[in-house]
């Protein structure tokens, strides 16, 4: 069982927007603005999409955005494209004893 | 640009020690950042194993801490993972990645290497 809870799957049609939630606790997501999100295509390494809750690395489309409210972080993808179909993982700092926790992953299907 | 490449045996026997190395190019490990190991069992999610700073300071996943050792060789610009007393549950793709200092992001990642634990 993963430390952070994500929905197993979400889906959307091209052009639509979807949101993936990542629920933690007051010991991780709720206490630190250190949530990151990763995209993973089958057979490939994860790719950083969002860091520090809402910052986008250079080269990542502005269709990807992140936010946080309380113990839940969210990744929103707007203007869905076929190439967005992938697994998405959230990750949070969890303090000086646990350090780093990941979510269980969400499979995004573009219909 | 920064690139990472994992290497090591693809097959390890139960109860033995898994050993992997991550070679870094395009960036000097001594210049900063943490350097981490993450694994992914087949068909499952990501699990952070541990990280190391160029000074040798380490921190580990509490659930694996008793079996994990991460070390760094700045002269070769690489860092390594040792996981002892492996079982079939340790079968996974093992990734290395650069980790933001105090910012908890991993980027970039190596391509990953599959390690199977089997007799």
């Amino acid at each position: 069982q993963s430390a952070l809870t994500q929905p197993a799957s979400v889906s959307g049609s091209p052009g639509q927007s979807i949101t993936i939630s990542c629920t933690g606790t007051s010991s991780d997501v709720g206490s630190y603005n250190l949530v990151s999100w990763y995209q993973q295509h089958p057979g490939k390494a994860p790719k950083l999409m969002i860091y520090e809750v809402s910052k986008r690395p250079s080269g990542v489309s502005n269709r990807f955005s992140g936010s946080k409210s309380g113990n839940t972080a969210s990744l929103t993808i707007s203007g869905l494209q076929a190439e967005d179909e992938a697994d998405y993982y959230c990750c949070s700092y969890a303090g000086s004893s646990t350090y780093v926790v990941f979510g269980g992953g969400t499979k995004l299907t573009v219909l | 640009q920064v690139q990472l490449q994992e290497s090591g045996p693809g097959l390890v026997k139960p109860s033995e020690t898994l050993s992997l190395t991550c070679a870094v190019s395009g960036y000097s490990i001594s210049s900063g950042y943490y350097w981490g190991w993450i694994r992914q069992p087949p068909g499952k999610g990501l699990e952070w194993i541990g990280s190391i700073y160029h000074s040798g300071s380490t921190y580990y996943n509490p659930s694996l801490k008793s079996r994990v050792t991460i070390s760094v060789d700045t002269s070769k610009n690489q860092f390594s993972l040792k996981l002892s007393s492996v079982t079939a549950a340790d079968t996974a793709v093992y990734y290395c990645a650069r980790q933001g200092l105090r910012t908890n992001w991993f980027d970039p990642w190596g391509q990953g290497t599959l390690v199977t634990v089997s007799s």
Side-chain angles (χ1 to χ4, degrees), chain A residues 3-4 22 24-25 27-38 53 68 71 73 89-95 98-103, chain B residues 48 99 103-104 106:
Chain A
L4 305 178
C22 170
T25 70
S27 297
D28 39 62
V29 174
S31 288
Y32 308 97
N33 289 324
L34 296 177
V35 176
S36 51
W37 289 90
Y38 302 87
V53 175
K68 190 186 86 167
N71 297 337
Y89 293 90
C90 61
C91 177
S92 177
Y93 180 67
T98 306
Y99 301 113
V100 178
V101 290
F102 279 96
Chain B
W48 172 71
Q99 183 179 6
T103 53
N104 191 51
F106 295 95

PDB file of all heavy atoms in Angstrom, chain A residues 3-4 22 24-25 27-38 53 68 71 73 89-95 98-103, chain B residues 48 99 103-104 106:
ATOM      1  N   ALA A   3       2.030   5.231   0.282  1.00  0.00           N
ATOM      2  CA  ALA A   3       1.806   6.229   1.306  1.00  0.00           C
ATOM      3  C   ALA A   3       0.825   7.298   0.848  1.00  0.00           C
ATOM      4  O   ALA A   3       0.062   7.821   1.645  1.00  0.00           O
ATOM      5  CB  ALA A   3       3.124   6.851   1.701  1.00  0.00           C
ATOM      6  N   LEU A   4       0.853   7.644  -0.428  1.00  0.00           N
ATOM      7  CA  LEU A   4      -0.039   8.642  -0.995  1.00  0.00           C
ATOM      8  C   LEU A   4      -1.093   7.933  -1.847  1.00  0.00           C
ATOM      9  O   LEU A   4      -0.764   7.005  -2.579  1.00  0.00           O
ATOM     10  CB  LEU A   4       0.738   9.652  -1.835  1.00  0.00           C
ATOM     11  CG  LEU A   4       1.895  10.348  -1.132  1.00  0.00           C
ATOM     12  CD1 LEU A   4       2.615  11.295  -2.100  1.00  0.00           C
ATOM     13  CD2 LEU A   4       1.426  11.099   0.103  1.00  0.00           C
ATOM     14  N   CYS A  22      -4.068  13.421  -5.329  1.00  0.00           N
ATOM     15  CA  CYS A  22      -3.005  12.730  -4.593  1.00  0.00           C
ATOM     16  C   CYS A  22      -3.205  13.081  -3.123  1.00  0.00           C
ATOM     17  O   CYS A  22      -2.882  14.197  -2.696  1.00  0.00           O
ATOM     18  CB  CYS A  22      -1.657  13.204  -5.110  1.00  0.00           C
ATOM     19  SG  CYS A  22      -0.224  12.683  -4.133  1.00  0.00           S
ATOM     20  N   GLY A  24      -2.558  12.688   0.823  1.00  0.00           N
ATOM     21  CA  GLY A  24      -1.603  12.258   1.836  1.00  0.00           C
ATOM     22  C   GLY A  24      -2.128  12.581   3.223  1.00  0.00           C
ATOM     23  O   GLY A  24      -3.318  12.433   3.486  1.00  0.00           O
ATOM     24  N   THR A  25      -1.231  12.997   4.084  1.00  0.00           N
ATOM     25  CA  THR A  25      -1.584  13.330   5.457  1.00  0.00           C
ATOM     26  C   THR A  25      -0.931  14.643   5.866  1.00  0.00           C
ATOM     27  O   THR A  25      -0.193  15.263   5.083  1.00  0.00           O
ATOM     28  CB  THR A  25      -1.111  12.226   6.417  1.00  0.00           C
ATOM     29  OG1 THR A  25       0.330  12.270   6.472  1.00  0.00           O
ATOM     30  CG2 THR A  25      -1.559  10.848   5.962  1.00  0.00           C
ATOM     31  N   SER A  27       1.447  14.842   7.691  1.00  0.00           N
ATOM     32  CA  SER A  27       2.877  14.577   7.867  1.00  0.00           C
ATOM     33  C   SER A  27       3.651  14.684   6.556  1.00  0.00           C
ATOM     34  O   SER A  27       4.879  14.690   6.564  1.00  0.00           O
ATOM     35  CB  SER A  27       3.098  13.169   8.449  1.00  0.00           C
ATOM     36  OG  SER A  27       2.527  13.073   9.735  1.00  0.00           O
ATOM     37  N   ASP A  28       2.940  14.726   5.440  1.00  0.00           N
ATOM     38  CA  ASP A  28       3.640  14.814   4.156  1.00  0.00           C
ATOM     39  C   ASP A  28       3.052  15.943   3.304  1.00  0.00           C
ATOM     40  O   ASP A  28       3.477  17.091   3.415  1.00  0.00           O
ATOM     41  CB  ASP A  28       3.648  13.472   3.421  1.00  0.00           C
ATOM     42  CG  ASP A  28       2.343  12.680   3.548  1.00  0.00           C
ATOM     43  OD1 ASP A  28       1.317  13.199   3.081  1.00  0.00           O
ATOM     44  OD2 ASP A  28       2.361  11.589   4.108  1.00  0.00           O
ATOM     45  N   VAL A  29       2.066  15.634   2.487  1.00  0.00           N
ATOM     46  CA  VAL A  29       1.513  16.641   1.570  1.00  0.00           C
ATOM     47  C   VAL A  29       1.050  17.887   2.324  1.00  0.00           C
ATOM     48  O   VAL A  29       1.289  19.020   1.887  1.00  0.00           O
ATOM     49  CB  VAL A  29       0.340  16.058   0.756  1.00  0.00           C
ATOM     50  CG1 VAL A  29      -0.324  17.137  -0.096  1.00  0.00           C
ATOM     51  CG2 VAL A  29       0.829  14.912  -0.136  1.00  0.00           C
ATOM     52  N   GLY A  30       0.393  17.687   3.446  1.00  0.00           N
ATOM     53  CA  GLY A  30      -0.175  18.809   4.183  1.00  0.00           C
ATOM     54  C   GLY A  30       0.834  19.727   4.839  1.00  0.00           C
ATOM     55  O   GLY A  30       0.514  20.881   5.156  1.00  0.00           O
ATOM     56  N   SER A  31       2.051  19.233   5.048  1.00  0.00           N
ATOM     57  CA  SER A  31       3.044  20.017   5.791  1.00  0.00           C
ATOM     58  C   SER A  31       4.104  20.679   4.931  1.00  0.00           C
ATOM     59  O   SER A  31       4.806  21.579   5.398  1.00  0.00           O
ATOM     60  CB  SER A  31       3.743  19.128   6.825  1.00  0.00           C
ATOM     61  OG  SER A  31       2.880  18.816   7.892  1.00  0.00           O
ATOM     62  N   TYR A  32       4.257  20.216   3.710  1.00  0.00           N
ATOM     63  CA  TYR A  32       5.351  20.723   2.865  1.00  0.00           C
ATOM     64  C   TYR A  32       4.871  21.017   1.454  1.00  0.00           C
ATOM     65  O   TYR A  32       4.085  20.268   0.895  1.00  0.00           O
ATOM     66  CB  TYR A  32       6.485  19.686   2.789  1.00  0.00           C
ATOM     67  CG  TYR A  32       6.972  19.185   4.122  1.00  0.00           C
ATOM     68  CD1 TYR A  32       6.491  17.982   4.644  1.00  0.00           C
ATOM     69  CD2 TYR A  32       7.903  19.895   4.865  1.00  0.00           C
ATOM     70  CE1 TYR A  32       6.923  17.516   5.874  1.00  0.00           C
ATOM     71  CE2 TYR A  32       8.340  19.436   6.096  1.00  0.00           C
ATOM     72  CZ  TYR A  32       7.840  18.252   6.589  1.00  0.00           C
ATOM     73  OH  TYR A  32       8.280  17.790   7.807  1.00  0.00           O
ATOM     74  N   ASN A  33       5.360  22.111   0.917  1.00  0.00           N
ATOM     75  CA  ASN A  33       5.069  22.426  -0.491  1.00  0.00           C
ATOM     76  C   ASN A  33       6.128  21.772  -1.376  1.00  0.00           C
ATOM     77  O   ASN A  33       6.771  22.418  -2.206  1.00  0.00           O
ATOM     78  CB  ASN A  33       5.036  23.934  -0.708  1.00  0.00           C
ATOM     79  CG  ASN A  33       3.805  24.568  -0.069  1.00  0.00           C
ATOM     80  OD1 ASN A  33       2.729  23.967  -0.066  1.00  0.00           O
ATOM     81  ND2 ASN A  33       3.962  25.757   0.468  1.00  0.00           N
ATOM     82  N   LEU A  34       6.292  20.468  -1.184  1.00  0.00           N
ATOM     83  CA  LEU A  34       7.337  19.713  -1.881  1.00  0.00           C
ATOM     84  C   LEU A  34       6.722  18.493  -2.569  1.00  0.00           C
ATOM     85  O   LEU A  34       7.191  17.369  -2.420  1.00  0.00           O
ATOM     86  CB  LEU A  34       8.433  19.303  -0.897  1.00  0.00           C
ATOM     87  CG  LEU A  34       9.211  20.459  -0.268  1.00  0.00           C
ATOM     88  CD1 LEU A  34      10.216  19.938   0.751  1.00  0.00           C
ATOM     89  CD2 LEU A  34       9.937  21.281  -1.328  1.00  0.00           C
ATOM     90  N   VAL A  35       5.665  18.755  -3.309  1.00  0.00           N
ATOM     91  CA  VAL A  35       5.006  17.709  -4.090  1.00  0.00           C
ATOM     92  C   VAL A  35       5.484  17.800  -5.538  1.00  0.00           C
ATOM     93  O   VAL A  35       5.545  18.887  -6.118  1.00  0.00           O
ATOM     94  CB  VAL A  35       3.473  17.854  -4.054  1.00  0.00           C
ATOM     95  CG1 VAL A  35       2.816  16.814  -4.963  1.00  0.00           C
ATOM     96  CG2 VAL A  35       2.962  17.719  -2.618  1.00  0.00           C
ATOM     97  N   SER A  36       5.843  16.667  -6.090  1.00  0.00           N
ATOM     98  CA  SER A  36       6.232  16.595  -7.493  1.00  0.00           C
ATOM     99  C   SER A  36       5.382  15.551  -8.200  1.00  0.00           C
ATOM    100  O   SER A  36       4.795  14.674  -7.554  1.00  0.00           O
ATOM    101  CB  SER A  36       7.726  16.271  -7.645  1.00  0.00           C
ATOM    102  OG  SER A  36       8.092  15.131  -6.879  1.00  0.00           O
ATOM    103  N   TRP A  37       5.285  15.681  -9.519  1.00  0.00           N
ATOM    104  CA  TRP A  37       4.490  14.784 -10.349  1.00  0.00           C
ATOM    105  C   TRP A  37       5.346  14.261 -11.498  1.00  0.00           C
ATOM    106  O   TRP A  37       6.144  15.011 -12.078  1.00  0.00           O
ATOM    107  CB  TRP A  37       3.277  15.515 -10.924  1.00  0.00           C
ATOM    108  CG  TRP A  37       2.213  15.838  -9.932  1.00  0.00           C
ATOM    109  CD1 TRP A  37       2.107  16.974  -9.184  1.00  0.00           C
ATOM    110  CD2 TRP A  37       1.083  15.034  -9.592  1.00  0.00           C
ATOM    111  NE1 TRP A  37       0.973  16.910  -8.384  1.00  0.00           N
ATOM    112  CE2 TRP A  37       0.334  15.737  -8.628  1.00  0.00           C
ATOM    113  CE3 TRP A  37       0.622  13.781 -10.005  1.00  0.00           C
ATOM    114  CZ2 TRP A  37      -0.841  15.231  -8.069  1.00  0.00           C
ATOM    115  CZ3 TRP A  37      -0.540  13.277  -9.472  1.00  0.00           C
ATOM    116  CH2 TRP A  37      -1.268  13.995  -8.516  1.00  0.00           C
ATOM    117  N   TYR A  38       5.126  12.985 -11.844  1.00  0.00           N
ATOM    118  CA  TYR A  38       5.902  12.326 -12.885  1.00  0.00           C
ATOM    119  C   TYR A  38       4.977  11.645 -13.877  1.00  0.00           C
ATOM    120  O   TYR A  38       3.959  11.072 -13.495  1.00  0.00           O
ATOM    121  CB  TYR A  38       6.856  11.290 -12.267  1.00  0.00           C
ATOM    122  CG  TYR A  38       7.793  11.944 -11.272  1.00  0.00           C
ATOM    123  CD1 TYR A  38       7.406  12.107  -9.950  1.00  0.00           C
ATOM    124  CD2 TYR A  38       9.014  12.473 -11.680  1.00  0.00           C
ATOM    125  CE1 TYR A  38       8.224  12.768  -9.051  1.00  0.00           C
ATOM    126  CE2 TYR A  38       9.837  13.138 -10.785  1.00  0.00           C
ATOM    127  CZ  TYR A  38       9.423  13.286  -9.469  1.00  0.00           C
ATOM    128  OH  TYR A  38      10.232  13.952  -8.584  1.00  0.00           O
ATOM    129  N   VAL A  53       4.870  21.629  -5.904  1.00  0.00           N
ATOM    130  CA  VAL A  53       3.402  21.735  -6.033  1.00  0.00           C
ATOM    131  C   VAL A  53       2.932  22.242  -7.394  1.00  0.00           C
ATOM    132  O   VAL A  53       2.038  21.648  -7.998  1.00  0.00           O
ATOM    133  CB  VAL A  53       2.808  22.634  -4.921  1.00  0.00           C
ATOM    134  CG1 VAL A  53       1.306  22.824  -5.134  1.00  0.00           C
ATOM    135  CG2 VAL A  53       3.077  22.060  -3.540  1.00  0.00           C
ATOM    136  N   LYS A  68      -2.446  22.471  -4.619  1.00  0.00           N
ATOM    137  CA  LYS A  68      -2.568  21.730  -3.366  1.00  0.00           C
ATOM    138  C   LYS A  68      -3.580  22.415  -2.465  1.00  0.00           C
ATOM    139  O   LYS A  68      -3.641  23.647  -2.392  1.00  0.00           O
ATOM    140  CB  LYS A  68      -1.212  21.671  -2.657  1.00  0.00           C
ATOM    141  CG  LYS A  68      -1.167  20.712  -1.467  1.00  0.00           C
ATOM    142  CD  LYS A  68       0.148  20.809  -0.721  1.00  0.00           C
ATOM    143  CE  LYS A  68       0.135  21.909   0.313  1.00  0.00           C
ATOM    144  NZ  LYS A  68       1.275  21.820   1.252  1.00  0.00           N
ATOM    145  N   ASN A  71      -4.348  18.349   2.663  1.00  0.00           N
ATOM    146  CA  ASN A  71      -3.543  17.130   2.493  1.00  0.00           C
ATOM    147  C   ASN A  71      -3.625  16.531   1.098  1.00  0.00           C
ATOM    148  O   ASN A  71      -3.137  15.415   0.872  1.00  0.00           O
ATOM    149  CB  ASN A  71      -3.971  16.072   3.506  1.00  0.00           C
ATOM    150  CG  ASN A  71      -3.730  16.492   4.943  1.00  0.00           C
ATOM    151  OD1 ASN A  71      -2.887  17.344   5.218  1.00  0.00           O
ATOM    152  ND2 ASN A  71      -4.483  15.904   5.864  1.00  0.00           N
ATOM    153  N   ALA A  73      -2.953  17.021  -3.044  1.00  0.00           N
ATOM    154  CA  ALA A  73      -2.377  17.711  -4.190  1.00  0.00           C
ATOM    155  C   ALA A  73      -3.102  17.245  -5.447  1.00  0.00           C
ATOM    156  O   ALA A  73      -3.680  16.158  -5.478  1.00  0.00           O
ATOM    157  CB  ALA A  73      -0.884  17.402  -4.304  1.00  0.00           C
ATOM    158  N   TYR A  89       2.463   9.710 -11.438  1.00  0.00           N
ATOM    159  CA  TYR A  89       2.779   9.462 -10.036  1.00  0.00           C
ATOM    160  C   TYR A  89       3.025  10.780  -9.308  1.00  0.00           C
ATOM    161  O   TYR A  89       3.721  11.663  -9.826  1.00  0.00           O
ATOM    162  CB  TYR A  89       4.041   8.605  -9.904  1.00  0.00           C
ATOM    163  CG  TYR A  89       3.883   7.191 -10.403  1.00  0.00           C
ATOM    164  CD1 TYR A  89       4.159   6.865 -11.727  1.00  0.00           C
ATOM    165  CD2 TYR A  89       3.448   6.174  -9.551  1.00  0.00           C
ATOM    166  CE1 TYR A  89       4.011   5.568 -12.186  1.00  0.00           C
ATOM    167  CE2 TYR A  89       3.306   4.874  -9.997  1.00  0.00           C
ATOM    168  CZ  TYR A  89       3.576   4.583 -11.319  1.00  0.00           C
ATOM    169  OH  TYR A  89       3.428   3.293 -11.770  1.00  0.00           O
ATOM    170  N   CYS A  90       2.483  10.879  -8.098  1.00  0.00           N
ATOM    171  CA  CYS A  90       2.820  12.015  -7.258  1.00  0.00           C
ATOM    172  C   CYS A  90       3.876  11.570  -6.244  1.00  0.00           C
ATOM    173  O   CYS A  90       4.059  10.382  -5.987  1.00  0.00           O
ATOM    174  CB  CYS A  90       1.600  12.569  -6.539  1.00  0.00           C
ATOM    175  SG  CYS A  90       0.769  11.433  -5.408  1.00  0.00           S
ATOM    176  N   CYS A  91       4.549  12.552  -5.688  1.00  0.00           N
ATOM    177  CA  CYS A  91       5.640  12.287  -4.748  1.00  0.00           C
ATOM    178  C   CYS A  91       5.691  13.452  -3.767  1.00  0.00           C
ATOM    179  O   CYS A  91       5.523  14.610  -4.162  1.00  0.00           O
ATOM    180  CB  CYS A  91       6.949  12.168  -5.511  1.00  0.00           C
ATOM    181  SG  CYS A  91       8.417  11.934  -4.487  1.00  0.00           S
ATOM    182  N   SER A  92       5.901  13.157  -2.506  1.00  0.00           N
ATOM    183  CA  SER A  92       5.975  14.222  -1.508  1.00  0.00           C
ATOM    184  C   SER A  92       7.111  13.987  -0.529  1.00  0.00           C
ATOM    185  O   SER A  92       7.467  12.847  -0.219  1.00  0.00           O
ATOM    186  CB  SER A  92       4.659  14.311  -0.726  1.00  0.00           C
ATOM    187  OG  SER A  92       4.734  15.289   0.301  1.00  0.00           O
ATOM    188  N   TYR A  93       7.692  15.077  -0.053  1.00  0.00           N
ATOM    189  CA  TYR A  93       8.604  14.998   1.075  1.00  0.00           C
ATOM    190  C   TYR A  93       7.755  14.675   2.294  1.00  0.00           C
ATOM    191  O   TYR A  93       6.606  15.135   2.409  1.00  0.00           O
ATOM    192  CB  TYR A  93       9.333  16.328   1.260  1.00  0.00           C
ATOM    193  CG  TYR A  93      10.296  16.326   2.420  1.00  0.00           C
ATOM    194  CD1 TYR A  93      11.439  15.537   2.393  1.00  0.00           C
ATOM    195  CD2 TYR A  93      10.055  17.097   3.555  1.00  0.00           C
ATOM    196  CE1 TYR A  93      12.329  15.531   3.455  1.00  0.00           C
ATOM    197  CE2 TYR A  93      10.937  17.101   4.624  1.00  0.00           C
ATOM    198  CZ  TYR A  93      12.072  16.314   4.571  1.00  0.00           C
ATOM    199  OH  TYR A  93      12.939  16.300   5.628  1.00  0.00           O
ATOM    200  N   ALA A  94       8.305  13.857   3.197  1.00  0.00           N
ATOM    201  CA  ALA A  94       7.499  13.387   4.323  1.00  0.00           C
ATOM    202  C   ALA A  94       8.221  13.543   5.661  1.00  0.00           C
ATOM    203  O   ALA A  94       7.994  12.770   6.587  1.00  0.00           O
ATOM    204  CB  ALA A  94       7.116  11.926   4.098  1.00  0.00           C
ATOM    205  N   GLY A  95       9.105  14.535   5.745  1.00  0.00           N
ATOM    206  CA  GLY A  95       9.755  14.789   7.014  1.00  0.00           C
ATOM    207  C   GLY A  95      11.053  14.032   7.175  1.00  0.00           C
ATOM    208  O   GLY A  95      11.438  13.210   6.333  1.00  0.00           O
ATOM    209  N   THR A  98      10.819   9.725   7.424  1.00  0.00           N
ATOM    210  CA  THR A  98      10.323   8.968   6.267  1.00  0.00           C
ATOM    211  C   THR A  98      10.896   9.487   4.963  1.00  0.00           C
ATOM    212  O   THR A  98      11.091   8.742   4.028  1.00  0.00           O
ATOM    213  CB  THR A  98       8.788   8.995   6.226  1.00  0.00           C
ATOM    214  OG1 THR A  98       8.276   8.542   7.470  1.00  0.00           O
ATOM    215  CG2 THR A  98       8.243   8.134   5.099  1.00  0.00           C
ATOM    216  N   TYR A  99      11.127  10.776   4.890  1.00  0.00           N
ATOM    217  CA  TYR A  99      11.757  11.474   3.777  1.00  0.00           C
ATOM    218  C   TYR A  99      10.916  11.587   2.507  1.00  0.00           C
ATOM    219  O   TYR A  99      10.433  12.642   2.184  1.00  0.00           O
ATOM    220  CB  TYR A  99      13.106  10.850   3.440  1.00  0.00           C
ATOM    221  CG  TYR A  99      14.073  10.862   4.590  1.00  0.00           C
ATOM    222  CD1 TYR A  99      14.484   9.687   5.199  1.00  0.00           C
ATOM    223  CD2 TYR A  99      14.576  12.062   5.080  1.00  0.00           C
ATOM    224  CE1 TYR A  99      15.371   9.708   6.264  1.00  0.00           C
ATOM    225  CE2 TYR A  99      15.452  12.095   6.159  1.00  0.00           C
ATOM    226  CZ  TYR A  99      15.844  10.915   6.737  1.00  0.00           C
ATOM    227  OH  TYR A  99      16.705  10.931   7.791  1.00  0.00           O
ATOM    228  N   VAL A 100      10.799  10.491   1.727  1.00  0.00           N
ATOM    229  CA  VAL A 100      10.184  10.568   0.397  1.00  0.00           C
ATOM    230  C   VAL A 100       9.124   9.483   0.253  1.00  0.00           C
ATOM    231  O   VAL A 100       9.392   8.311   0.524  1.00  0.00           O
ATOM    232  CB  VAL A 100      11.232  10.368  -0.719  1.00  0.00           C
ATOM    233  CG1 VAL A 100      10.560  10.394  -2.096  1.00  0.00           C
ATOM    234  CG2 VAL A 100      12.317  11.427  -0.645  1.00  0.00           C
ATOM    235  N   VAL A 101       7.919   9.892  -0.181  1.00  0.00           N
ATOM    236  CA  VAL A 101       6.854   8.917  -0.428  1.00  0.00           C
ATOM    237  C   VAL A 101       6.243   9.159  -1.805  1.00  0.00           C
ATOM    238  O   VAL A 101       6.150  10.311  -2.248  1.00  0.00           O
ATOM    239  CB  VAL A 101       5.764   8.971   0.653  1.00  0.00           C
ATOM    240  CG1 VAL A 101       6.287   8.441   1.980  1.00  0.00           C
ATOM    241  CG2 VAL A 101       5.233  10.391   0.844  1.00  0.00           C
ATOM    242  N   PHE A 102       5.855   8.085  -2.457  1.00  0.00           N
ATOM    243  CA  PHE A 102       5.203   8.151  -3.763  1.00  0.00           C
ATOM    244  C   PHE A 102       3.749   7.705  -3.641  1.00  0.00           C
ATOM    245  O   PHE A 102       3.385   6.962  -2.723  1.00  0.00           O
ATOM    246  CB  PHE A 102       5.903   7.205  -4.759  1.00  0.00           C
ATOM    247  CG  PHE A 102       7.161   7.763  -5.364  1.00  0.00           C
ATOM    248  CD1 PHE A 102       8.402   7.462  -4.828  1.00  0.00           C
ATOM    249  CD2 PHE A 102       7.105   8.580  -6.494  1.00  0.00           C
ATOM    250  CE1 PHE A 102       9.564   7.959  -5.383  1.00  0.00           C
ATOM    251  CE2 PHE A 102       8.264   9.078  -7.066  1.00  0.00           C
ATOM    252  CZ  PHE A 102       9.494   8.774  -6.510  1.00  0.00           C
ATOM    253  N   GLY A 103       2.947   8.154  -4.596  1.00  0.00           N
ATOM    254  CA  GLY A 103       1.603   7.640  -4.735  1.00  0.00           C
ATOM    255  C   GLY A 103       1.626   6.338  -5.520  1.00  0.00           C
ATOM    256  O   GLY A 103       2.655   5.984  -6.118  1.00  0.00           O
TER     257      GLY A 103
ATOM    258  N   TRP B  48      10.780   4.830  -3.427  1.00  0.00           N
ATOM    259  CA  TRP B  48      12.081   5.443  -3.169  1.00  0.00           C
ATOM    260  C   TRP B  48      12.903   4.526  -2.261  1.00  0.00           C
ATOM    261  O   TRP B  48      12.393   4.036  -1.253  1.00  0.00           O
ATOM    262  CB  TRP B  48      11.884   6.806  -2.530  1.00  0.00           C
ATOM    263  CG  TRP B  48      13.138   7.448  -2.042  1.00  0.00           C
ATOM    264  CD1 TRP B  48      14.140   7.976  -2.806  1.00  0.00           C
ATOM    265  CD2 TRP B  48      13.524   7.643  -0.678  1.00  0.00           C
ATOM    266  NE1 TRP B  48      15.126   8.480  -1.990  1.00  0.00           N
ATOM    267  CE2 TRP B  48      14.779   8.300  -0.687  1.00  0.00           C
ATOM    268  CE3 TRP B  48      12.943   7.334   0.546  1.00  0.00           C
ATOM    269  CZ2 TRP B  48      15.462   8.648   0.484  1.00  0.00           C
ATOM    270  CZ3 TRP B  48      13.601   7.675   1.716  1.00  0.00           C
ATOM    271  CH2 TRP B  48      14.856   8.322   1.679  1.00  0.00           C
ATOM    272  N   GLN B  99      18.451  14.271  -7.590  1.00  0.00           N
ATOM    273  CA  GLN B  99      17.404  14.734  -6.687  1.00  0.00           C
ATOM    274  C   GLN B  99      17.675  16.153  -6.239  1.00  0.00           C
ATOM    275  O   GLN B  99      18.778  16.485  -5.801  1.00  0.00           O
ATOM    276  CB  GLN B  99      17.312  13.811  -5.477  1.00  0.00           C
ATOM    277  CG  GLN B  99      16.209  14.166  -4.497  1.00  0.00           C
ATOM    278  CD  GLN B  99      16.138  13.202  -3.335  1.00  0.00           C
ATOM    279  OE1 GLN B  99      16.982  12.329  -3.192  1.00  0.00           O
ATOM    280  NE2 GLN B  99      15.126  13.343  -2.492  1.00  0.00           N
ATOM    281  N   THR B 103      14.356  20.114  -2.202  1.00  0.00           N
ATOM    282  CA  THR B 103      13.175  20.421  -3.019  1.00  0.00           C
ATOM    283  C   THR B 103      12.438  19.178  -3.479  1.00  0.00           C
ATOM    284  O   THR B 103      11.387  19.279  -4.084  1.00  0.00           O
ATOM    285  CB  THR B 103      13.568  21.256  -4.242  1.00  0.00           C
ATOM    286  OG1 THR B 103      14.628  20.597  -4.938  1.00  0.00           O
ATOM    287  CG2 THR B 103      13.999  22.646  -3.839  1.00  0.00           C
ATOM    288  N   ASN B 104      12.984  18.004  -3.225  1.00  0.00           N
ATOM    289  CA  ASN B 104      12.269  16.739  -3.414  1.00  0.00           C
ATOM    290  C   ASN B 104      11.763  16.505  -4.821  1.00  0.00           C
ATOM    291  O   ASN B 104      10.623  16.136  -5.035  1.00  0.00           O
ATOM    292  CB  ASN B 104      11.101  16.626  -2.421  1.00  0.00           C
ATOM    293  CG  ASN B 104      10.511  15.225  -2.391  1.00  0.00           C
ATOM    294  OD1 ASN B 104      11.230  14.261  -2.237  1.00  0.00           O
ATOM    295  ND2 ASN B 104       9.217  15.120  -2.566  1.00  0.00           N
ATOM    296  N   PHE B 106      12.940  14.594  -8.651  1.00  0.00           N
ATOM    297  CA  PHE B 106      13.892  13.681  -9.270  1.00  0.00           C
ATOM    298  C   PHE B 106      13.932  13.977 -10.773  1.00  0.00           C
ATOM    299  O   PHE B 106      12.942  13.809 -11.475  1.00  0.00           O
ATOM    300  CB  PHE B 106      13.481  12.226  -9.050  1.00  0.00           C
ATOM    301  CG  PHE B 106      13.522  11.801  -7.604  1.00  0.00           C
ATOM    302  CD1 PHE B 106      12.373  11.858  -6.824  1.00  0.00           C
ATOM    303  CD2 PHE B 106      14.693  11.343  -7.027  1.00  0.00           C
ATOM    304  CE1 PHE B 106      12.399  11.471  -5.497  1.00  0.00           C
ATOM    305  CE2 PHE B 106      14.733  10.943  -5.693  1.00  0.00           C
ATOM    306  CZ  PHE B 106      13.585  11.013  -4.928  1.00  0.00           C
TER     307      PHE B 106
END
